[in-house]
Amino acid sequence: MAKISPEKTPMREQPPNERVKNYDEVPLGYSPSEAVAEAKRCLQCKKPLCIEGCPVEIDIRSFIDFISQKKFQEGIIKLKEKNILPAICGRVCPQEEQCEKVCIVGKKNEPVAIGRLERFLADWEREQGKIEIPTKLKSTGKKVAIVGAGPAGITVAADLVKLGHKIDMFEALHQPGGVLVYGIPEFRLPKEIVFKEIDYLKKLGINIYTDYVVGMIISVDELLEEYDAVFLGTGAGLPWFLEVPGENLNGIYSANEYLTRANLMKAYLFPKYKTPIIKGNRVATVGGGNVAMDCARTALRLGAEKSILIYRRAKEQMPARDEEIHHAEEEGVILQLLSNPAAFHADRNNWVKEVECVRMKLGEPDSSGRRRPVPIEGANFRMPIDVAVIAIGNSPNPLIPNTTADIEVSKWGTIITDEHSTKTSKKGVFAGGDVATGAATVIMAMGAGKVAARGIHDYIMKKKPW
Ligand code: FAD
């Protein structure tokens, strides 16, 4: 057997000093020869653990084998059997925690770059300009309403339409895509790519009604009068706050608002686009996940001289992907670790001018297994800022549970579902993705979408009783 390279085939990237001045994508993708070289690092294991490590069970071994033989068309067909959003997952999935974590090559060397290869195939197909539309089964005459056009809803819609059901999607925003369009910034996930994936849904014959807030324009009960089943994939869009003094001052955003303005509404192109954003020279983002990284990196692209990320634990405990932390630091984001805001202070016009933090130390592990941050008494300090972004988490919006009888929710506001079918407590209503799990990942939402599609199909085709 030929000796394999110990490291992943590197992927070209925009240099940090250039990319902080634009919104273009940071990693530039593999060329065909780079992809083939990387695919040849795969051992083609008899029992591929990578497939078990993937929440949607993509046949990773086979699609990589096709790449190594330069059979890219066959590779993308294999990949799309299980994943209809490969260009997106190849870019934003936490592969290091899933398929790549269990890759046998990774025991002694760097694992095979599965995510990069997934992205390569999807980009290759798009560049050919020829997207294969799968054949649909004969119409069943059944209709399903899908509420929310994020990764969960998109997956359910695509799987059910292929089985011959009529699908209507209802999306609150003016663009479908969920967090993929309003949250994750252009420099990590170009919107062009998301729109191409949405086009694919439309080509499958799915109707998408935008600017359509279920719970206000129409209720779930009214949808049930017209549809055989309803799927709720409404995400977790309600931001959490720190609940410290001064948090409602001018110049303080939730991460949702900040990123929605910057991404979906293109505030960085104001006044060409109508939505403004307060840019700020010294921007403090609070949090340590992917959302916080996206905010801190967006602040630099909006022109901040200093973008400071305040996180209450140490770097090793940050929930953000390693790659995102690495990119953020390369671009100049300052990590203010083991610190937590205790208050925000205002100038005389009620604009934020300082954040007061308390220093933290790490104590015993908490329920998440991570060491608990403990405030050090009397160790407060202040930093001058002119914008703050709070990126400490989200929960589901209560609108639908509040306007629908019989939908059970947990104490965290997530909709309670059956894990095998995604059934809720209300007959005919299914739910999945962030609305059921709380804020998680794209691939987890898609995994839930797959389970939901099977559950809904069995229910409406009367294969299983409710
Ligand atoms: P969403 O994507 O939230 O979609 C829900 C949709 O429902 C939205 O379009 C919303 O407008 C719509 N909706 C809500 N209420 C209603 C209503 N009443 N009527 C009609 N429509 C409604 N995950 C990763 O895997 N990797 C990453 O790098 C990553 N980065 C992230 C960065 C940011 C800034 C954020 C916010 C999240 C990130 N995530 C990442 C998490 C990931 O995006 C989510 O877990 C995933 O999008 C959840 O999918 P979903 O379909 O459940 O919900």
Side-chain angles (χ1 to χ4, degrees), residues 123-140:
D123 290 354
W124 175 86
E125 186 191 38
R126 209 175 46 257
E127 279 156 23
Q128 307 306 301
K130 240 183 29 203
I131 310 265
E132 293 273 330
I133 303 295
T135 40
K136 289 195 275 179
L137 297 183
K138 207 167 109 255
S139 168
T140 59

Side-chain angles (χ1 to χ4, degrees), residues 92-127:
V92 304
C93 263
Q95 292 99 6
E96 64 281 3
E97 292 299 324
Q98 296 170 348
C99 51
E100 293 184 14
K101 188 175 184 177
V102 289
C103 169
I104 298 294
V105 175
K107 290 215 162 185
K108 288 200 180 140
N109 301 302
E110 280 189 0
V112 177
I114 299 169
R116 294 177 183 181
L117 292 173
E118 180 179 25
R119 169 188 166 155
F120 165 76
L121 279 181
D123 290 354
W124 175 86
E125 186 191 38
R126 209 175 46 257
E127 279 156 23

Side-chain angles (χ1 to χ4, degrees), residues 92-94 147-153 170-173 177-179 182-184 188 212-214 233-236 259 290-291 294 321 399-400 432-435 440-443 445:
V92 304
C93 263
V147 185
F170 299 89
E171 167 53 50
L173 295 173
V179 170
Y182 81 74
I184 304 181
R188 270 212 302 133
Y212 213 111
V213 185
V214 173
T234 44
L259 292 173
N290 288 324
V291 182
D294 285 343
R321 296 183 62 195
L399 177 65
I400 289 188
D434 282 6
V435 73
T441 61
V442 173
I443 197 79

Side-chain angles (χ1 to χ4, degrees), residues 58-252:
I58 297 172
D59 187 349
I60 297 168
R61 177 180 62 184
S62 300
F63 89 68
I64 293 186
D65 192 28
F66 281 127
I67 298 178
S68 71
Q69 299 174 51
K70 300 191 188 151
K71 292 184 179 170
F72 304 142
Q73 185 64 39
E74 287 87 340
I76 187 71
I77 290 171
K78 180 54 68 188
L79 178 51
K80 279 193 160 174
E81 277 174 7
K82 290 284 169 75
N83 183 354
I84 55 148
L85 302 176
I88 293 165
C89 292
R91 285 170 165 83
V92 304
C93 263
Q95 292 99 6
E96 64 281 3
E97 292 299 324
Q98 296 170 348
C99 51
E100 293 184 14
K101 188 175 184 177
V102 289
C103 169
I104 298 294
V105 175
K107 290 215 162 185
K108 288 200 180 140
N109 301 302
E110 280 189 0
V112 177
I114 299 169
R116 294 177 183 181
L117 292 173
E118 180 179 25
R119 169 188 166 155
F120 165 76
L121 279 181
D123 290 354
W124 175 86
E125 186 191 38
R126 209 175 46 257
E127 279 156 23
Q128 307 306 301
K130 240 183 29 203
I131 310 265
E132 293 273 330
I133 303 295
T135 40
K136 289 195 275 179
L137 297 183
K138 207 167 109 255
S139 168
T140 59
K142 304 283 180 191
K143 284 169 70 181
V144 180
I146 300 204
V147 185
I154 289 175
T155 307
V156 182
D159 280 9
L160 287 179
V161 82
K162 285 187 249 172
L163 292 170
H165 308 304
K166 181 173 177 333
I167 306 298
D168 289 338
M169 294 186 91
F170 299 89
E171 167 53 50
L173 295 173
H174 65 279
Q175 295 271 18
V179 170
L180 308 177
V181 291
Y182 81 74
I184 304 181
E186 194 84 36
F187 55 83
R188 270 212 302 133
L189 179 61
K191 300 308 147 216
E192 199 43 44
I193 288 168
V194 184
F195 297 146
K196 282 266 159 58
E197 308 272 26
I198 304 278
D199 263 2
Y200 175 74
L201 281 190
K202 291 184 181 158
K203 285 194 180 118
L204 285 171
I206 293 163
N207 300 315
I208 307 180
Y209 299 99
T210 50
D211 292 318
Y212 213 111
V213 185
V214 173
M216 290 181 98
I217 297 176
I218 192 167
S219 69
V220 170
D221 288 289
E222 283 166 329
L223 285 174
L224 280 173
E225 288 168 16
E226 204 187 317
Y227 294 89
D228 297 285
V230 173
F231 174 77
L232 304 174
T234 44
L238 189 73
W240 295 346
F241 287 94
L242 294 155
E243 299 188 10
V244 297
E247 205 177 10
N248 57 355
L249 291 172
N250 293 324
I252 303 186

Side-chain angles (χ1 to χ4, degrees), residues 370-401:
R370 294 178 302 169
R371 289 179 67 192
R372 188 190 301 274
V374 184
I376 305 173
E377 216 165 299
N380 287 22
F381 65 98
R382 293 185 179 206
M383 290 188 289
I385 57 168
D386 34 35
V387 167
V389 185
I390 314 299
I392 56 167
N394 285 313
S395 47
N397 189 309
L399 177 65
I400 289 188

